[in-house]
């Protein structure tokens, strides 16, 4: 049991979660503050006959994992802000061609080179809309190493279930902080394996025809079914088409397969929400400070609760609205200019009740920062 | 070894775009472009079955079969 | 098997213009694969964007039509994750060497066992005739209406300098030679490059008054000669054809197998 307890960085916890989920292939390029994921996997993957490659840039890294996914492997890349920007075109390709893959973005301050060694949560909307064109996307995050591990496993599960890229949006604090991680025993967290077609050789296989349950069984490159994969709008065989019905059907499918399952994909944690007059909504490392605020104010009789989001996209609007129905004040705690606040405002019945407690200076938001802002927002007493 | 003799020379008229490559490079002047802008093997008797027309056809429209195929 | 067994006949006639050299490259490539007797299931063809890249749709292999310039990066993921597959990457000159230049250099440097076929027609055809990095100074293009000032570079020299272990050049006029070179490139273990000089009569030919597809092929015949031939020795303007380099060096996937061996035996780290 002892060997399953580690004191490690969040980046390593992510790498270990990926291995637990069945990662076979990693391609990446060095960038602060995500590099430890690559370093850890360079050592760990070959130990289990997996493959690690340091590509020439982040564009190539994203492309390489898509190629490796098509041969039937679980794949990962990891990067930070500028590298995430470079990956956007190929990320859109993975959306269009429905390639299961996981992309980690350990956020640092931007835009541009920004503030590489400091924390930020400024890429939330980039994760949602970074690639061009209408699309849906899944983005998960976590505030502590146990959750980093678990959401990483979940990211692979969602990628396989929905045949989609999944973004893990961590941040510098979670990535570099060291804390305890208990690695679960095999089987303790369920893992979803690639759904492969049962269509026999010689029988027409449709790689892009969803089954009744919405899932699309795959066939590995090298296997008996030869089909086409393209970033163009395509028919159920994967061949390019500009037929308006095909185009309409495909974009609806790509969006619906995610958006219609928003509640299944929604991961969140709650603390004292039942009677809360004040609700803090947070995610990632800033949720640690938000949680601390609640744990100190509750004993003083303050009716304050926490909704920690682990799924950011698709935004769990119904859940947020329901949880916040009776709250007098909703304060979104994040380290950006209010990217999730905007989504919360769109979700709740009364957007005027939604406030922002943020820091945007590269410094981690502390419980004290939040309490100070709370006093301004809701008046003295809190 | 005897040289292969032509059995069939076929041109897929749906695939042919009439670029004249086969016509111009035929060593025996077997082919020509017809009034529908498609290549035809007008003088098959002269064909030596060298298959250059088939190999150079950008439209994969030409098929030369010999007694050796 | 016959040539037609390797293509997806339902998509013919193809989208390329009349006389386009890319069709000849497709023709030659299929014949090389046919002579090798390879199973269609063990071939993955990866392409990027452009006229050349449409080649993927026409062949009955596992086909991956990707994004502009990145075909070799996708192909690296395919090959490394499943080295038993034969990975062939046809690219246009702009696709491979402008937007994809960096991936080209690094795939060559790794000497990963991928066959890169550069269909060099010296122009961006799909977008309507803009100059490419191989158009060369003095040529005309829609984006070089006053003659191009961009020098071109030598694909063969660059591929060799970057570390490719099989490098060849031929033209669409020399269809038999093209078939043979692609066959050898596929057989070669390591990163192999075949530059096929190809004609774009619609844009490069018309803009530069080079005549028909036939005229352009005749020109390719006259401006090229086998490596070291008398013609090549006597005329410095001649572009040499042939196999410039064919050497055995450690192949990337095989080398990574050694990494796995060291890692599983607890060495290093």
């Amino acid at each position: 049991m002892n060997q399953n307890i580690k004191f490690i960085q969040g980046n390593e916890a992510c790498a270990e979660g990926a291995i637990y989920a069945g990662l076979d292939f990693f391609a990446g390029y060095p960038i602060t503050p995500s590099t430890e994921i690559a370093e850890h996997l360079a050592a760990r993957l070959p130990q289990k006959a997996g493959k690690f490659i340091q590509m020439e840039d982040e564009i190539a890294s994203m492309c390489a994992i898509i190629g490796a996914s098509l041969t039937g492997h679980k794949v990962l890349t990891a990067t930070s802000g500028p590298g995430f920007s470079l990956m956007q075109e190929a990320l859109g390709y993975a959306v269009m061609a429905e390639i299961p893959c996981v992309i980690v973005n350990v956020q640092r301050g931007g835009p541009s080179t920004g503030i590489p060694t400091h924390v930020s949560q400024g890429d939330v909307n980039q994760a949602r809309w970074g690639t061009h064109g209408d699309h849906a996307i899944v983005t998960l995050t976590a505030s502590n190493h146990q959750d980093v591990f678990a959401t990483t496993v979940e990211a692979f599960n969602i990628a396989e279930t929905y045949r989609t890229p999944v973004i893990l949006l961590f941040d510098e604090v979670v990535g570099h902080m060291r804390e305890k991680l208990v690695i679960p025993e095999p089987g303790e967290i369920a893992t979803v394996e690639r759904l492969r077609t049962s269509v026999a050789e010689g029988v027409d296989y449709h790689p892009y025809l969803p089954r009744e349950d919405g899932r699309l069984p795959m066939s590995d490159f090298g296997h008996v079914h030869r089909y086409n994969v393209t970033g163009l709008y395509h028919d159920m065989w994967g061949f390019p088409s500009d037929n308006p019905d095909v185009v309409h059907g495909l974009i609806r499918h790509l969006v619906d397969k995610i958006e219609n399952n928003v509640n299944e994909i929604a991961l969140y944690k709650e603390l004292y929400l039942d009677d809360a007059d004040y609700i803090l909504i947070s995610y990632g490392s800033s949720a640690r400070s938000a949680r601390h605020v609640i744990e100190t104010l509750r004993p003083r009789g303050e009716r304050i609760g926490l909704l920690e989001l682990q799924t950011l996209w698709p935004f769990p609007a119904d859940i947020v609205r329901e949880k916040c129905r009776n709250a007098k004040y909703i304060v979104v705690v994040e380290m950006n200019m209010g990217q999730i606040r905007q989504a919360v405002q769109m979700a709740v019945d009364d957007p005027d009740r939604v406030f922002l407690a943020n820091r945007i200076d590269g410094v981690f938001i502390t419980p004290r920062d939040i309490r100070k802002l709370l006093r301004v927002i809701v008046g003295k007493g809190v | 070894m005897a040289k292969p003799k032509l059995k069939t020379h076929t041109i897929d008229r749906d695939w042919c775009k009439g670029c004249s490559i086969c016509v111009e490079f035929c060593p025996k002047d077997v082919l020509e472009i017809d009034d529908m802008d498609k290549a035809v093997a007008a003088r098959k008797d002269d064909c030596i079955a060298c298959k250059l027309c088939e190999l150079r056809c950008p439209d994969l429209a030409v098929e030369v079969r010999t007694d050796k195929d | 098997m016959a040539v037609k067994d390797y293509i997806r006949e339902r998509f013919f006639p193809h989208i390329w213009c009349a006389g386009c050299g890319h069709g000849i490259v497709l023709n030659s490539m299929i014949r090389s694969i046919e002579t090798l007797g390879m199973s269609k299931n063990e071939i993955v063809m990866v392409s990027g964007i452009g006229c050349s890249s449409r080649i993927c749709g026409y062949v009955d292999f596992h086909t991956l039509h990707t994004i502009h310039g990145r075909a070799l990066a996708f192909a690296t993921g395919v090959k490394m994750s499943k080295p038993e597959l034969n990975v062939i990457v046809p690219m246009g000159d702009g696709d491979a060497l402008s937007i994809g230049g960096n991936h080209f250099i690094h795939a060559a440097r790794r000497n990963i066992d991928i066959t890169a076929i550069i269909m060099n027609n010296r122009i961006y055809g799909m977008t309507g005739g803009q100059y490419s990095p191989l158009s060369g100074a003095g040529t005309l293009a829609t984006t070089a209406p006053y003659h191009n000032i961009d020098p071109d570079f030598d694909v063969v020299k660059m591929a060799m300098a970057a570390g490719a272990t099989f490098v060849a050049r031929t033209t669409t006029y020399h269809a038999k030679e093209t078939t043979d070179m692609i066959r050898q490139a596929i057989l070669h273990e390591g990163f192999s490059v075949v530059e096929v000089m190809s004609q774009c009569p619609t844009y490069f030919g018309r803009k530069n008054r080079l005549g028909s597809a036939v005229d352009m092929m005749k020109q390719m015949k006259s401006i090229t000669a086998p490596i070291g031939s008398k013609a090549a020795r006597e005329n410095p303007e001649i572009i040499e054809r042939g196999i410039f380099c064919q050497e055995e060096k450690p192949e990337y996937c095989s080398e990574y197998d050694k990494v796995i061996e060291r890692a599983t035996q607890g060495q290093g780290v």
Side-chain angles (χ1 to χ4, degrees):
Chain A
M1 189 61 200
N2 268 352
Q3 63 184 4
N4 285 343
I5 298 177
K6 293 185 183 298
F7 184 71
I8 55 175
Q9 287 191 344
N11 282 341
E12 292 168 273
C14 170
E16 284 299 323
I19 298 246
Y20 185 94
L23 178 71
D24 309 289
F25 186 93
F26 177 95
Y29 186 81
I31 187 165
T32 303
S34 74
T35 307
E36 294 82 6
I37 297 174
E39 289 176 334
H40 195 69
L41 289 171
R44 289 284 278 125
L45 269 176
Q47 290 171 352
K48 49 159 277 189
K51 307 282 173 74
F52 168 94
I53 186 169
Q54 184 171 310
M55 294 298 286
E56 52 272 21
D57 57 32
E58 290 89 346
I59 299 172
S61 305
M62 187 63 214
C63 297
I65 68 165
I66 293 171
S69 183
L70 280 162
T71 64
H73 295 92
K74 288 193 177 178
V75 299
L76 177 78
T77 187
T79 189
S80 299
F84 192 53
S85 292
L86 286 176
M87 287 180 181
Q88 293 303 326
E89 187 191 5
L91 176 62
Y93 182 89
V95 169
M96 182 59 119
E98 302 190 68
I99 313 291
C101 54
V102 179
I103 302 100
V104 184
N105 174 6
V106 184
Q107 295 169 93
R108 66 191 224 185
S112 189
T113 312
I115 186 157
T117 55
H118 291 256
V119 71
S120 163
Q121 293 172 327
D123 303 346
V124 169
N125 278 332
Q126 186 191 18
R128 177 65 191 89
W129 289 116
T131 197
H132 59 277
D134 260 329
H135 65 282
I137 198 82
V138 179
T139 302
L140 309 180
T141 184
S143 62
N144 62 73
H145 292 11
Q146 209 60 51
D147 288 353
V148 164
F149 186 98
T151 51
T152 301
V153 177
E154 188 57 25
F156 281 92
N157 290 349
I158 291 170
E160 293 296 338
T161 304
Y162 298 100
R163 267 187 75 166
T164 183
V166 175
I167 296 160
L168 281 168
L169 201 61
F170 298 134
D171 57 56
E172 191 274 337
V173 164
V174 164
H176 280 162
M177 175 180 63
R178 285 180 189 274
E179 68 178 7
K180 185 174 113 175
L181 171 72
V182 183
I183 298 197
E185 295 296 324
E188 218 174 305
I189 305 179
T191 56
V192 176
E193 298 313 315
R194 177 81 41 104
L195 179 66
R196 292 186 170 85
T197 181
S198 55
V199 171
E201 184 172 12
V203 180
D204 200 5
Y205 160 66
H206 304 104
Y208 292 102
L209 181 67
R211 300 195 307 198
E212 262 182 38
D213 64 358
R215 294 189 68 183
L216 296 92
M218 297 184 77
S219 178
D220 300 345
F221 272 13
H223 202 248
V224 295
H225 299 293
R226 298 179 301 276
Y227 59 97
N228 190 52
V229 180
T230 179
L232 291 164
Y233 275 91
H234 49 270
D235 60 23
M236 61 187 171
W237 293 277
F239 291 109
S241 172
D242 54 8
N243 177 320
D245 293 334
V246 171
V247 174
H248 181 262
L250 181 53
I251 182 69
R252 286 257 40 133
H253 160 71
L254 293 176
V255 172
D256 289 350
K257 73 173 180 180
I258 305 297
E259 298 289 347
N260 289 353
N261 291 297
V262 56
N263 291 337
E264 283 71 27
I265 296 169
L267 301 173
Y268 59 93
K269 289 183 159 182
E270 54 179 280
L271 192 64
Y272 306 122
L273 283 190
D274 290 344
D275 64 344
D277 289 335
Y278 314 112
I279 292 180
L280 303 185
I281 296 181
S282 194
Y283 54 93
S285 64
S286 47
R288 300 174 73 94
S289 294
R291 181 174 289 266
H292 191 275
V293 167
I294 283 150
E295 282 165 354
T296 50
L297 291 185
R298 265 283 160 176
R300 295 186 208 164
E302 298 293 344
R303 291 177 17 160
I304 185 165
L306 172 71
L307 177 60
E308 180 188 339
L309 301 176
Q310 294 182 311
T311 299
L312 298 181
W313 310 115
F315 192 72
D318 291 346
I319 291 166
V320 169
R321 179 167 51 249
E322 201 47 48
K323 300 286 179 194
C324 296
R325 192 174 296 282
N326 299 317
K328 288 181 188 153
Y329 299 100
I330 301 149
V331 181
V332 179
V333 181
E334 56 186 337
M335 288 178 284
N336 57 43
M337 296 286 277
Q339 298 188 22
I340 284 294
R341 188 215 13 199
Q342 196 177 34
V344 171
Q345 281 180 318
M346 285 164 73
V348 299
D349 299 325
D350 178 9
D352 292 342
R353 289 180 300 153
V354 181
F355 300 89
L356 176 66
N358 70 344
R359 257 195 108 134
I360 48 166
D361 55 359
V363 179
F364 182 57
I365 191 164
T366 62
R368 194 191 147 120
D369 293 329
I370 299 170
R371 280 199 302 273
K372 221 159 48 177
L373 287 158
L374 276 177
R375 275 195 288 275
V376 175
I377 293 163
V378 302
K380 61 181 181 178
V382 171
Chain B
M1 217 170 81
K3 284 186 176 172
K5 281 203 179 72
L6 179 71
K7 231 165 74 183
T8 56
H9 189 297
T10 47
I11 294 170
D12 187 324
R13 293 181 65 83
D14 290 333
W15 292 13
C16 173
K17 296 191 181 113
C19 68
S20 297
I21 289 173
C22 59
V23 175
E24 293 285 335
F25 294 121
C26 176
K28 293 291 172 188
D29 197 24
V30 171
L31 297 122
E32 61 185 41
I33 298 291
D34 68 11
D35 49 13
M36 302 285 286
D37 279 340
K38 303 285 180 184
V40 286
R43 291 166 289 277
K44 279 184 193 170
D45 290 347
D46 297 343
C47 177
I48 54 170
C50 68
K51 295 196 180 185
L52 282 173
C53 52
E54 181 181 319
L55 297 176
R56 286 207 186 97
C57 176
D59 298 310
L60 278 65
V62 183
E63 194 178 13
V64 180
R65 284 282 175 95
T66 70
D67 53 355
K68 299 266 196 267
D69 290 320
Chain C
M1 286 201 280
V3 165
K4 286 196 173 171
D5 292 328
Y6 290 92
I7 59 176
R8 292 163 171 155
E9 280 189 63
R10 62 189 180 285
F11 299 122
F12 282 74
H14 57 55
I15 61 160
W16 294 314
C17 304
C20 174
H22 292 355
I24 305 178
V25 180
L26 169 66
N27 194 333
S28 297
M29 191 181 66
I30 290 169
R31 281 168 210 281
S32 15
I33 290 165
E34 187 199 11
T35 59
L36 289 169
M38 293 158 74
S39 156
K40 292 192 281 185
N41 288 338
E42 66 188 40
I43 302 172
V44 179
M45 190 164 287
V46 187
S47 69
I49 293 293
C51 292
S52 60
S53 304
R54 287 304 186 101
I55 201 167
C56 258
Y58 299 117
V59 290
D60 187 21
F61 309 129
H62 303 282
T63 53
L64 181 54
H65 175 231
T66 68
I67 55 178
H68 197 23
R70 321 296 175 197
L72 283 169
F74 283 85
T76 298
V78 171
K79 181 67 186 180
M80 200 181 166
S81 63
K82 211 171 197 174
E84 64 267 33
L85 294 172
N86 283 295
V87 183
I88 304 170
V89 184
M91 296 172 283
D93 44 306
D95 192 44
L97 299 162
S98 186
I99 185 167
N102 200 33
H103 309 303
F104 180 79
I105 291 168
H106 290 279
R109 176 179 60 81
R110 292 187 190 102
N111 195 33
I112 188 164
D113 188 13
I114 290 172
T115 306
I117 300 168
I118 297 174
M119 303 150 82
N120 176 13
N121 61 8
R122 306 174 67 191
I123 200 89
Y124 287 93
M126 188 67 89
T127 46
Q130 299 74 36
Y131 66 88
S132 91
L134 295 185
S135 295
T139 54
L140 287 162
T142 59
T143 45
Y146 306 109
H147 290 93
N148 190 15
I149 57 165
D150 276 35
D152 56 352
F153 54 55
D154 185 323
V155 184
V156 164
K157 281 184 187 161
M158 198 184 65
M160 285 167 64
T165 48
F166 180 101
V167 182
R169 178 192 287 132
T170 180
T171 85
T172 50
Y173 174 82
H174 305 89
K176 278 186 179 168
E177 188 178 277
T178 303
T179 304
D180 178 57
M181 281 180 189
I182 294 176
R183 192 184 65 85
Q184 292 196 57
I186 293 171
L187 283 174
H188 177 77
E189 196 192 342
F191 190 72
S192 47
V193 180
V194 181
E195 179 194 0
V196 187
M197 294 165 62
S198 175
Q199 72 275 14
C200 172
T202 304
Y203 292 112
F204 193 80
R206 204 168 39 160
K207 275 274 169 197
N208 291 285
R209 302 184 192 285
L210 295 174
S212 67
V214 168
D215 296 330
M216 293 178 81
M217 286 172 76
K218 283 179 178 164
Q219 194 207 24
M220 286 193 287
K221 183 189 174 202
S222 65
I223 63 170
T224 66
I227 300 171
S229 62
K230 188 162 173 282
R233 284 198 311 272
E234 284 173 356
N235 182 0
E237 297 294 307
I238 285 282
I239 300 168
E240 289 183 305
R241 298 192 324 272
I243 297 169
F244 292 81
C245 132
Q246 190 170 17
E247 54 185 336
E248 272 181 44
K249 276 192 180 164
E251 191 276 329
Y252 195 76
C253 299
S254 306
E255 290 301 296
Y256 197 83
D257 285 342
K258 295 177 190 166
V259 170
I260 291 176
E261 218 168 280
R262 290 197 289 272
T264 48
Q265 288 166 2
Q267 297 170 15
V269 194

